[in-house]
Amino acid sequence: MTVGSKIKQTLASLKGANSTLQIYAAQSQDVETQDVYHAALDMTSEVIQDLEIRLQTVEYEEPQYKGY
Amino acid sequence: MREWIEILLRSIGLFILTFALIRLLGKRQLLRMTPFHFVTYTAMGILAIFMAVGLIKNLIFGFLTLGTWFVLIIAVDYLAVKSKQFHDFFHGREMVLIQHGKIMEESLNKQRLTAEELLRELRSKNAFNLADVEFAVMEATGEINILLKADKKPVTPYDLGNKVAPQSEPQTVILDGNIVDEALRNIGLSRGWLTAQLEGMGLSLDNIFVGQVDSSGDLYVDVFGDNIDLPKPKVKELLYATLQKAQSDLTTFALDTENETAKEVYGKDAQKLDEVIKLLEPYLTR
């Protein structure tokens, strides 16, 4: 497996986790719980952004592995 | 012939009347009543029966007695709410039976309570060892309540220093195959959400006996067929595992890459996810 595809895999699972977090943030009744989910959402979103930037760099450096 | 019809009609009428009067007196539980309440309720019941079978010939007198008892009970209850002294006078006061782990023999004597009876009551409160009891009090109702010694109390998450997710009451959204709209509204969900959830589980509404939504919005159902094994919702556990996997992935990337800036970013992100995992742990793992 190339570095790029590894990053893509992690990115995909993180995005999945992010959307599940979003569901829980919306579903929770308790304000404190909602805040915790929102804080977690913010942090995972930052990580996702970093990974996306890194993925672009990797694909630029090794264009032969571009795509899925 | 005429007499039994009269008794029947009186019984029905008084049954309804007594029922209404008792309902008006409130929802006090029979077991938790003070002796005074017990006597008043019994008196009203006996009066009603006497009137029904015709032991009290004059119905007016009967109703007068019943009414007086009723008004007096209401008056006493009202005054007991208003004044502590009045309450203590009518219903009695609680009495300390064990203090600092020592039995107060005088209090026992006053309540005419034997040591065996006290021990029996303690056992019924799951305190088999007298040494475990710090404090015990006999309420005005005769019930004995106890406080265990600090080191014998059941452990709570607070004692362990664990943080747990706040949990409010679940809402019962399906009862006997019918959707309870009020409960759904309370939790801010729609019928559409519910049908989508059920479709995801592969169940139809009329298969479900009880369905509850907990405070985090997860649906739990009990189906009519008890031989069907339903998977419990594992979304939270999966989410937790996914986050942990991503975190270890990031750590591996940080170790693998030779690019210094990328190494730094990966390290920082791995730390962030670690924080997220710690933050969510009480919410996702039960």
Side-chain angles (χ1 to χ4, degrees):
Chain A
M1 220 193 263
T2 62
V3 178
S5 62
K6 271 188 198 164
I7 294 178
K8 267 180 208 152
Q9 213 175 40
T10 310
L11 192 56
S13 60
L14 257 183
K15 275 181 180 168
N18 204 43
S19 48
T20 315
L21 278 175
Q22 245 161 17
I23 293 174
Y24 275 119
Q27 271 183 355
S28 301
Q29 298 293 302
D30 184 70
V31 183
E32 194 192 325
T33 315
Q34 280 174 3
D35 288 348
V36 168
Y37 281 126
H38 281 300
L41 259 175
D42 288 345
M43 281 198 267
T44 48
S45 303
E46 282 168 29
V47 175
I48 288 171
Q49 258 177 12
D50 284 347
L51 273 182
E52 271 171 347
I53 294 166
R54 179 67 193 151
L55 186 63
Q56 273 172 6
T57 328
V58 169
E59 281 183 340
Y60 179 74
E61 281 170 358
E62 300 168 357
Q64 66 269 37
Y65 297 120
K66 216 177 155 180
Y68 290 95
Chain B
M1 189 63 182
R2 271 201 22 87
E3 207 172 352
W4 72 263
I5 295 177
E6 196 182 320
I7 288 181
L8 187 72
L9 287 177
R10 275 194 197 188
S11 293
I12 294 169
L14 279 161
F15 177 81
I16 295 166
L17 181 74
T18 324
F19 174 75
L21 288 182
I22 298 287
R23 280 306 289 268
L24 281 175
L25 286 178
K27 285 187 176 162
R28 211 171 269 112
Q29 262 191 20
L30 207 60
L31 273 175
R32 301 258 169 82
M33 277 201 303
T34 62
F36 174 71
H37 269 119
F38 179 71
V39 170
T40 51
Y41 277 59
T42 320
M44 282 181 64
I46 292 173
L47 263 176
I49 289 301
F50 275 11
M51 282 162 74
V53 296
L55 275 178
I56 298 169
K57 290 276 184 291
N58 193 331
L59 268 188
I60 309 283
F61 285 179
F63 280 121
L64 189 69
T65 329
L66 202 57
T68 318
W69 271 101
F70 178 71
V71 171
L72 276 177
I73 296 169
I74 296 271
V76 166
D77 277 353
Y78 178 75
L79 285 171
V81 171
K82 288 284 160 198
S83 148
K84 170 92 174 99
Q85 269 115 16
F86 202 85
H87 178 273
D88 290 348
F89 176 69
F90 263 96
H91 299 295
R93 291 187 61 172
E94 67 277 4
M95 189 166 256
V96 177
L97 297 180
I98 298 178
Q99 197 160 31
H100 303 309
K102 293 189 177 63
I103 299 179
M104 313 262 104
E105 282 83 6
E106 275 172 44
S107 311
L108 280 192
N109 283 338
K110 262 189 211 159
Q111 300 294 336
R112 288 184 297 285
L113 202 69
T114 63
E116 283 95 343
E117 281 169 327
L118 177 67
L119 287 176
R120 188 184 64 212
E121 289 293 329
L122 294 185
R123 279 196 295 270
S124 78
K125 298 280 176 191
N126 251 336
F128 281 76
N129 229 336
L130 186 61
D132 297 348
V133 182
E134 166 72 21
F135 182 80
V137 62
M138 186 186 235
E139 309 293 349
T141 56
E143 197 187 8
I144 293 178
N145 286 320
I146 62 164
L147 175 72
L148 289 174
K149 290 219 166 104
D151 55 346
K152 298 287 181 184
K153 275 191 207 159
V155 175
T156 61
Y158 177 81
D159 294 332
L160 294 172
N162 283 0
K163 195 183 173 336
V164 288
Q167 240 178 3
S168 45
E169 75 286 2
Q171 295 283 351
T172 307
V173 293
I174 302 172
L175 266 182
D176 223 344
N178 295 311
I179 295 179
V180 186
D181 283 305
E182 196 192 333
L184 265 182
R185 263 200 305 282
N186 282 345
I187 204 160
L189 295 168
S190 66
R191 270 173 179 250
W193 175 86
L194 192 57
T195 39
Q197 290 283 310
L198 291 180
E199 253 169 48
M201 289 178 178
L203 290 168
S204 78
L205 191 57
D206 37 280
N207 275 335
I208 294 164
F209 186 50
V210 175
Q212 274 190 329
V213 177
D214 67 15
S215 52
S216 62
D218 281 334
L219 178 69
Y220 177 82
V221 293
D222 183 90
V223 290
F224 279 114
D226 283 334
N227 46 1
I228 306 170
D229 251 341
L230 279 175
K232 280 206 182 107
K234 283 261 188 282
V235 188
K236 284 178 177 165
E237 284 85 345
L238 270 176
L239 176 59
Y240 192 68
T242 312
L243 285 171
Q244 275 181 325
K245 168 103 177 31
Q247 198 264 346
S248 65
D249 280 353
L250 283 172
T251 319
T252 324
F253 295 160
L255 290 172
D256 283 351
T257 183
E258 266 144 38
N259 184 329
E260 280 304 316
T261 43
K263 213 187 247 300
E264 205 180 300
V265 172
Y266 282 143
K268 220 176 65 212
D269 284 350
Q271 245 170 28
K272 262 187 211 162
L273 279 193
D274 204 37
E275 259 175 67
V276 171
I277 289 166
K278 284 210 183 89
L279 189 67
L280 291 177
E281 200 189 347
Y283 295 88
L284 299 182
T285 57
R286 268 167 268 206

